[in-house]
Amino acid sequence: MKSHTVISPAGAAGIPSAAQDLESRAYGKVVRRLVPFLMLCYLGAYLDRVNVGFAKLQMLSDLGWSDTVYGLGAGVFFLGYFLFEVPSNMILHRFGARRWLARIMITWAIISASFSIVETPTTFYILRFLLGVAEAGFAPGVILYITYWFPSARRAKVMAIFFMAIPLASIVGAPLSGWIMESFAGLRGLTGWQWLFTLEALPSLLLGIAILFYLDDSIDDAKWLTPEEKALLKRNIAAEEGEKVAHHSVGAFFSDRRLWLLTGVYFCIVMGQYGITFWLPAIVRNAGVTGVGMVGLLAAIPYTVALLCLPFVGRSSDRTLARRLHCGVPMLVAAAALFALPFTDGVTSALVLLSAAAAGAICGTAQFWALPTAFLSGMSAAAGIATINCIANLAGFFSPSMVGWLNDFTGKQGAGLWLTAGALAVGACMLAFVPGKMVDR
């Protein structure tokens, strides 16, 4: 891998050169300015996904729905996501991230709050589909946006910080959701789950408005950087872009086997991730926990473990550049934990295995995105990231739907968990066929 840092003789002797100081200062500014804010926005997005898992604890009995209805509704979100994600990312790349990401967040906040008026399965399905349409492009859009600022050698750690939003959403959202559902139940004639959807949509609405005033579309637009810092950042990105793939036709893009192999890997990751996200509260309750509030508190534990693991895995990946290893090993850990979960008896053992599963699946998700962004550039990166994400996120439809159906059909929770465990194991094995020289850099 080519280094983008200019090393002077002084720097080589152990004394930081002026160029190294400039580079450290510039990237430090970018990280502090962009990454925490983007992570906060993704936390808002994920909060709107976590809450449907908690709403299930009251919603199904209040409305007389089955696990199959819930699983199908949870999954329909990803059909809308699939249809609109690639166009969304192309629009972002062409017209800029600031306005488009703001549009995404404001729209999904309004739709998420609308779940408080759901009464029939049909309405639930329609709103879930529209929520997927509204949110389409946010995660791949941010991933693409990160490539505008950071070269691949710095990207794994940044991705790990960004994807901390997933466990943080559950650490914050799990106890918050339980508290809202218990404390607000009956207020002004609304149930706890209705208040849940209404109140947890507010952060996304406010953050969407904030994006318009806070984000910059490009390095050139960043008034908080000096001219020297802008020049250095642009030079590093330009040097790397020359080594990447830019497809010159639609046919060349869709015939790239590497793209489809990575799509298959990420499909398996998403199967495992959403198998955990949508069903974790129910697993904790079925382990013997009573009370929605206590379920919320205990459900935060696995995501706390994941949060602690993410930065260590990201730093190790950037240090060794062994991208496939840092993606595959966490996936295998998650697969083993999910496979063993049905054989456990008791809350403590269930939480230990759920912690391993959550940490493995989320670390695998974060590290995966260092793979395609290592070799795609320009419009190919915009389309490639969105294509991988939108097709793989169809697993978000299949995972909750199939887990719900298998739980109802077999009367056992283990069938659905073994399905998600198998998907993670298959995905980890597929990584062995990804060319190392292409991504391990």
Side-chain angles (χ1 to χ4, degrees), residues 9-21:
I15 302 172
S17 66
Q20 286 176 306
D21 283 342

Side-chain angles (χ1 to χ4, degrees), residues 389-430:
N389 199 59
C390 78
I391 295 175
N393 268 285
L394 285 177
F397 170 75
F398 289 110
S399 182
S401 301
M402 293 181 70
V403 169
W405 178 81
L406 282 170
N407 288 349
D408 284 340
F409 181 75
T410 64
K412 297 179 181 179
Q413 212 169 60
L417 292 172
W418 291 333
L419 173 70
T420 54
L424 284 163
V426 169
C429 293
M430 290 173 67

Side-chain angles (χ1 to χ4, degrees), residues 37 40-42 44 102 105 202-212:
F37 181 74
L40 192 62
C41 291
Y42 197 42
M105 292 199 71
L202 290 176
S204 293
L205 179 64
L206 296 175
L207 286 166
I209 296 170
I211 285 176
L212 292 169

